[in-house]
Amino acid sequence: MIKPQYIVESTLVPHSAFIEAGARIERCMHNTINSPESACVAIVGESRTGKSTVLDEFCRNHLEYRKEDGLYTPVLKVVTPSNPTVKGLAELMLEKMGDPRYESGTEIAKTNRLKVLMRNSKTNMVVIDEFQHFCSRRNGVVAHHVADWLKTLVDENRCGLVVAGLPSGLAVLEQNEQLAGRFFTPMLMPRFDWRIDEHREEFLGILGAFQGSIGRYFDIPRLDEEDMGFRVFRATGGLIGYLSKFLKYAVWGAIEGGQKVITLEGLRKAYQESIWDPNSPSDTANPFDKNYQPRHIEGQIGIALNIGCAKLPNVLPRRKIPFSSDDQLVSGKF
Ligand SMILES: Nc1ncnc2c1ncn2[C@@H]1O[C@H](COP(=O)(O)OP(=O)(O)OP(=O)(O)O)[C@@H](O)[C@H]1O
Ligand SMILES: [Mg+2]
C-alpha cells in the first residue's frame, strides 16, 4: 500500500509520447541483439518533459539478474557528467558494471576492461542520460573524442545506444556524421500545448490519471475538466514534471493540515509555493484564485509556455510568445 504522501510520484502515466519513446527503445534493443550493426535512438525534449522517466522505466524492465555463471547486465545506464572525458565516462560505466577497480588503469586499459565486462554480462544496450553535456554549455563545443569513443564502444560490442537530453544535445549528432548515420529520427518528448487539440486532450487525460490516484486518498476538484484543466496548464506550462511537483505539494499541504480534502485554496497555495517562474511578471494572477478568469487567453498561454524556460540575460531580447499580465476580467471560451 502506497503512503498518501508518495501517491503522486508513485503514479506513472502512460501518455502517448511516453509509450512511443519506450516502444522505440525496446525495438532498438530487440533488433540489435546479435546484429552486426548497432542502432541508436535519441530522446529529446525540454527540461521536465519526462525523458529520464522513460529511461528509468526501460531500465526497470531490463534489470540485471544473476545466474550460476555470474551477473548479467542487459542495460548499462549512466548519467553524463558535466565536461565528460573518456576516462571519466569509462570509470562511471565500469563502476556501474561492478568493477571494484573502476578508477584504476589508463584510458585504454579501462576501455578494454569495460568491453570485456559488457560482453561477459551480455549487455545489449547502453543508455546515456543528460546527453547535452557532450556539448559545452559555455561555448557549444562538442566533446568529439568522447562521442567517437562511445560510437566505437557500441559498435564493437554490437549493442544499441539510447541517449536522452535537452535538444541542444542534438548538436553532437549533427556534427558527427558517423554517429548521425547510426541514429534513427530523434523522438521528441513534448511539453503539452493547450492550443493543439491532441495535446490538450492528452494533458486532460494525464490530469485524469493523477486525479484517479490522488482521489483514492483525497477529495480533490475535478482536474480534467476544461476550466480546471486550463488553470492547471497555466500553472504548470504543460510540463509533466511541473505538474507532478505541483500536485505533490498540494497533497503534502493536505496531509500537513490533517485534511482529506484538497480544496481550490489548497491548489492556490500549492501553486504559489511550488511553481517558481522567473520569466513571469510579478503581478501575474494565481490561476487558482477564486475569481481567476483569463481575459487574454493568448497572453495566459504565453505565460504558461514560458514556464521552465531558462531566463535570458537582460541584454538579449526576451523570447517568443508575448503575454499579458491582465487576468482579471471575464473571458470567452478557451
Ligand atoms: N509518464 C509520467 N507519469 C508520471 N509522472 C511523470 C511521467 N514522466 C515524468 N513524470 C514526473 O515528472 C518528473 C520529471 O520527469 P523527468 O525527470 O523524467 O524529466 P526530464 O525530461 O528528464 O527532465 P530534465 O531534462 O530536467 O532532466 C518526474 O520526476 C516524474 O515525477
Ligand atoms: Mg532528466
Side-chain angles (χ1 to χ4, degrees):
M1 185 76 175
I2 299 158
K3 287 194 169 166
Q5 65 261 45
Y6 303 129
I7 188 63
V8 173
E9 54 260 64
S10 307
T11 303
L12 186 66
V13 186
H15 59 84
S16 304
F18 176 85
I19 292 175
E20 173 67 23
R24 288 202 200 182
I25 299 174
E26 288 290 349
R27 193 179 305 139
C28 175
M29 167 135 157
H30 185 73
N31 292 303
T32 305
I33 295 174
N34 296 329
S35 156
E37 270 205 337
S38 56
C40 310
V41 182
I43 311 288
V44 293
E46 288 178 62
S47 180
R48 310 278 88 191
T49 48
K51 305 175 295 294
S52 300
T53 304
V54 168
L55 300 186
D56 290 346
E57 183 61 7
F58 171 72
C59 293
R60 238 191 315 275
N61 291 332
H62 299 280
L63 294 174
E64 57 181 25
Y65 56 94
R66 189 169 283 286
K67 280 189 170 177
E68 275 167 13
D69 55 347
L71 191 64
Y72 286 76
T73 310
V75 173
L76 167 58
K77 182 193 155 205
V78 289
V79 178
T80 317
S82 48
N83 303 319
T85 59
V86 167
K87 207 159 171 247
L89 206 56
E91 263 178 30
L92 264 183
M93 290 181 167
L94 283 170
E95 190 183 4
K96 272 291 174 82
M97 296 297 291
D99 182 341
R101 297 184 306 116
Y102 63 88
E103 281 174 318
S104 73
T106 61
E107 189 176 300
I108 295 175
K110 282 187 174 124
T111 305
N112 288 337
R113 275 209 321 279
L114 179 60
K115 282 183 196 161
V116 171
L117 263 176
M118 285 172 64
R119 220 164 288 143
N120 292 345
S121 308
K122 301 265 184 293
T123 301
N124 296 317
M125 190 71 128
V126 173
V127 175
I128 310 269
D129 201 358
E130 304 286 0
F131 188 59
Q132 74 278 357
H133 287 169
F134 275 67
C135 186
S136 161
R137 201 177 150 110
R138 196 161 43 86
N139 53 19
V141 170
V142 169
H144 289 294
H145 178 51
V146 193
D148 282 337
W149 174 84
L150 191 59
K151 173 189 66 73
T152 309
L153 181 75
V154 294
D155 264 0
E156 292 188 3
N157 276 63
R158 297 188 170 183
C159 55
L161 172 65
V162 181
V163 302
L166 302 177
S168 58
L170 288 177
V172 181
L173 310 185
E174 285 159 8
Q175 293 180 32
N176 185 323
E177 70 267 34
Q178 285 190 307
L179 259 186
R182 285 161 174 77
F183 270 83
F184 299 116
T185 311
M187 165 82 205
L188 178 75
M189 294 300 289
R191 144 199 308 262
F192 297 98
D193 184 335
W194 192 261
R195 296 166 299 185
I196 302 170
D197 290 347
E198 304 89 74
H199 280 211
R200 191 171 57 247
E201 277 162 28
E202 190 87 43
F203 188 67
L204 291 174
I206 291 171
L207 295 186
F210 278 118
Q211 164 104 42
S213 298
I214 298 171
R216 300 215 304 271
Y217 298 89
F218 302 93
D219 277 341
I220 181 169
R222 278 291 296 272
L223 301 174
D224 57 349
E225 285 174 346
E226 195 88 350
D227 170 62
M228 187 58 90
F230 183 79
R231 293 181 193 229
V232 182
F233 164 74
R234 161 62 188 79
T236 62
L239 293 164
I240 196 163
Y242 276 70
L243 172 63
S244 71
K245 181 172 66 155
F246 159 68
L247 291 176
K248 195 162 62 179
Y249 209 86
V251 165
W252 291 352
I255 292 172
E256 277 165 28
Q259 294 162 347
K260 286 263 172 219
V261 182
I262 296 172
T263 58
L264 192 63
E265 172 57 19
L267 297 177
R268 195 190 69 75
K269 259 190 116 209
Y271 168 74
Q272 191 178 307
E273 293 175 20
S274 67
I275 308 285
W276 181 64
D277 178 13
N279 287 311
S280 186
S282 55
D283 59 344
T284 305
N286 185 315
F288 300 101
D289 274 340
K290 274 201 306 293
N291 302 323
Y292 174 78
Q293 280 187 314
R295 187 173 68 151
H296 298 296
I297 293 296
E298 277 303 316
Q300 291 293 292
I301 288 174
I303 292 175
L305 295 180
N306 272 294
I307 291 173
C309 295
K311 188 168 172 132
L312 299 174
N314 287 337
V315 286
L316 295 175
R318 286 288 294 274
R319 95 174 251 239
K320 298 152 192 166
I321 300 146
F323 55 73
S324 148
S325 61
D326 182 355
D327 326 310
Q328 300 307 322
L329 299 174
V330 180
S331 76
K333 211 172 152 14
F334 301 136

